[in-house]
Amino acid sequence: MSYLITRIIAQVLENNKLPGAICSLACGGADIGIAMAKDERIDLLSFTGSTNVGKQVAVTVQERFGRCLLELGGNNAIIVFEDADLNLVIPSALFAAVGTAGQRCTTARRLFLHESIHDVVVEKLMKAYAQVRIGDPWDANTLYGPLHTKQAVKMFLDAVEVAKQQGGSVVYGGKVIERPGNYVEPTIVVDLPHNSSIVHTETFAPILYVLKFKTEEEAFGWNNGVKQGLSSSIFTKDLGRIFRWLGPKGSDCGIVNVNIPTSGAEIGGAFGGNKHTGGGRESGSDSWKQYMRRSTCLSKGKNVVSP
């Protein structure tokens, strides 16, 4: 797919009398990434991937005083208050947690439910999970496909086991699906403490940790309590709470949503996050500035007009 997209872009460039090689694709492993990070001819290196690899990229690029734009991991949370519209909450949480089999940086990993609606939402969510059509991703009727590698399946199983050891209860899924390919069941885990190490770990798989909260302050604190800061959402009808969520004492993420899920991106908005998410931004008005070289230009002469 990447190859085909590159060919299309090259054709558009050539049709406009520009070299097609302006957009190139190099396929390879870590060797390609290391070479690019070390190459002084590359003024700006934009990297999308895990936080661990992003740290290595940042150090390597900084050693040559280059610039890098990092879009790394996310441990995204959805907070649902007692006044939320559950007709919005259930499909939103399902899409955010299960879409692309949990293999998206903006996937919802944590779901915070007010104690008064916790049991109702969990029950409804389990029923929604049971309706997910699993199968070949090339089939138009499929909603949920496989994980990308056998290693990802192992990481999924390991995370489920750790969640159980730390006090969690698997109320839906948790197993490998017996069929050709790297298929696992979309999974819901409840009863974990908010500060459990597994809850603070981004596992690139369809595991949703559901936590029960009492107060707004508690929920906002849990949202900000992880090292990543990519995407976040609240569901509420309280305008005062919405303003607090969007303000300095609210979400510390780069993407702050209200009554919509964590996954997805607005094409006109700056996409990226804070803290261990890397701080980079793609798309939107903030993006193009990072691809430019900033200069302060001074001149003196009779033909120079000053404002």
Side-chain angles (χ1 to χ4, degrees):
M1 181 64 72
S2 299
Y3 169 75
L4 293 175
I5 292 174
T6 305
R7 288 290 302 273
I8 292 171
I9 295 174
Q11 185 176 350
V12 171
L13 291 168
E14 291 166 358
N15 290 343
N16 287 275
K17 298 181 181 180
L18 293 169
I22 288 176
C23 177
S24 301
L25 174 67
C27 297
D31 55 332
I32 299 296
I34 292 171
M36 293 177 67
K38 290 182 176 180
D39 197 325
E40 294 188 357
R41 295 172 297 177
I42 299 178
D43 293 328
L44 173 68
L45 182 68
S46 177
F47 173 79
T48 300
S50 71
T51 298
N52 289 336
V53 177
K55 288 179 181 178
Q56 299 174 43
V57 170
V59 170
T60 303
V61 173
Q62 181 57 42
E63 285 179 344
R64 61 178 177 86
F65 290 97
R67 293 185 298 150
C68 61
L69 193 161
L70 304 175
E71 203 283 287
L72 310 177
N75 193 348
N76 316 295
I78 295 175
I79 304 174
V80 183
F81 288 92
E82 64 274 18
D83 64 338
D85 183 349
L86 298 190
N87 291 323
L88 290 176
V89 170
I90 303 304
S92 295
L94 176 70
F95 174 75
V98 174
T100 59
Q103 300 168 114
R104 184 181 298 189
C105 57
T106 53
T107 291
R109 312 284 177 197
R110 301 175 294 153
L111 177 62
F112 304 152
L113 303 175
H114 188 269
E115 59 182 3
S116 65
I117 59 169
H118 176 275
D119 294 349
V120 172
V121 174
V122 171
E123 182 179 353
K124 288 180 177 292
L125 200 56
M126 289 169 60
K127 291 180 180 179
Y129 268 53
Q131 299 176 45
V132 173
R133 296 189 296 275
I134 302 172
D136 185 344
W138 289 104
D139 187 337
N141 292 318
T142 296
L143 294 177
Y144 175 92
L147 298 184
H148 56 97
T149 61
K150 294 294 183 185
Q151 181 183 9
V153 175
K154 183 180 184 304
M155 292 173 63
F156 165 84
L157 291 173
D158 289 347
V160 171
E161 186 58 34
V162 171
K164 292 178 181 178
Q165 293 172 4
Q166 295 183 357
S169 299
V170 177
V171 295
Y172 193 93
K175 301 183 182 68
V176 171
I177 299 174
E178 296 299 331
R179 59 175 294 163
N182 304 315
Y183 287 85
V184 300
E185 295 175 338
T187 300
I188 302 173
V189 181
V190 301
D191 296 334
L192 278 167
H194 76 92
N195 56 355
S196 301
S197 62
I198 192 62
V199 173
H200 285 241
T201 301
E202 180 196 24
T203 304
F204 217 58
I207 304 174
L208 181 65
Y209 304 114
V210 181
L211 287 70
K212 186 187 300 184
F213 73 90
K214 294 182 179 181
T215 67
E216 174 187 304
E217 182 180 17
E218 185 177 51
F220 287 7
W222 290 0
N223 177 80
N224 299 343
V226 296
K227 292 183 178 180
Q228 304 88 345
L230 178 54
S231 186
S232 56
S233 299
I234 64 167
F235 283 80
T236 184
K237 298 173 185 175
D238 187 326
L239 289 178
R241 179 179 290 135
I242 291 172
F243 282 116
R244 290 190 293 275
W245 172 246
L246 299 174
K249 294 184 179 181
S251 173
D252 65 357
C253 295
I255 302 171
V256 185
N257 299 307
V258 177
N259 293 325
I260 58 174
T262 56
S263 52
E266 166 56 48
I267 191 63
F271 183 89
N274 307 319
K275 303 188 296 187
H276 282 214
T277 301
R281 294 293 187 276
E282 298 285 2
S283 303
S285 60
D286 286 351
S287 178
W288 65 266
K289 297 177 183 178
Q290 298 185 66
Y291 286 89
M292 306 295 288
R293 182 176 63 244
R294 184 169 184 171
S295 301
T296 299
C297 302
L298 304 174
S299 181
K300 182 178 181 180
K302 293 182 180 180
N303 296 325
V304 176
V305 178
S306 300

